Amino acid sequence: MGCFYCEEHNQDREALMIKVGEMKGGVLHLFRDQTHKGRCVLALKGHKKEFFECSDQERADLSEDLARASKAIKELWGCDKINIGSFGDTNPHLHFHIVPKYKDGPEFGGVFQMNFPDPVRFSEEEYQEMVAALREKLGL
């Protein structure tokens, strides 16, 4: 079995998220579960498990991507806070969850759940509108 993020077409990944596009150091994906509207994941382009394994340039590029993507999400959907998490215990490819939090929304003031018990799903058209908005905002 290959890597969740490295495989060009991974059915498990495509069931969970939609590719937004390639950035300088990573690839941005929009989660299909939009419990936290605008939730994305940014995965390193190359295959590394840990942030410290990256070259100085890879770290700089990925950090810049993370800041740009977070800012775009905040500007597009007006969240009150962005939580960023990197785990990878069972998916050993360096990636960061970008989770917008809203004061009156789920889990504000607490830790976000990876798999929310009652996921919020949108129509395919709504997902495509969100992806298009992110691409335009990020120049992808």
Side-chain angles (χ1 to χ4, degrees):
M1 187 162 114
C3 173
F4 186 82
Y5 288 106
C6 289
E7 288 179 350
E8 188 173 341
H9 297 288
N10 181 297
Q11 291 179 343
D12 292 335
R13 184 187 65 239
E14 292 170 0
L16 290 174
M17 56 190 74
I18 303 162
K19 183 177 177 179
V20 175
E22 290 196 19
M23 298 182 74
K24 202 169 183 182
V27 180
L28 187 66
H29 300 269
L30 177 74
F31 268 89
R32 289 189 181 276
D33 176 1
Q34 286 293 298
T35 299
H36 303 90
K37 188 168 184 180
R39 181 179 175 190
C40 290
V41 69
L42 178 67
L44 181 72
K45 281 184 183 179
H47 186 83
K48 302 230 166 89
K49 287 173 60 173
E50 307 291 351
F51 193 61
F52 63 78
E53 294 174 347
C54 295
S55 68
D56 291 345
Q57 190 62 57
E58 286 173 318
R59 278 193 302 276
D61 290 346
L62 197 59
S63 294
E64 181 182 326
D65 291 349
L66 196 53
R68 287 183 60 229
S70 298
K71 182 179 179 188
I73 291 165
K74 172 119 175 125
E75 289 175 354
L76 287 167
W77 295 293
C79 58
D80 296 296
K81 180 69 176 113
I82 300 228
N83 288 184
I84 296 173
S86 179
F87 308 102
D89 297 0
T90 59
N91 182 4
H93 181 114
L94 182 61
H95 63 283
F96 292 90
H97 293 262
I98 306 170
V99 185
K101 300 288 265 312
Y102 301 84
K103 283 185 182 169
D104 295 325
E107 305 173 320
F108 190 82
V111 178
F112 68 89
Q113 294 182 47
M114 294 296 289
N115 301 304
F116 207 74
D118 297 311
V120 174
R121 303 281 183 195
F122 293 161
S123 69
E124 200 57 38
E125 182 179 324
E126 289 171 301
Y127 289 127
Q128 292 310 316
E129 288 173 3
M130 292 179 78
V131 167
L134 279 165
R135 287 178 179 156
E136 182 178 342
K137 183 68 86 173
L138 294 167
L140 303 178

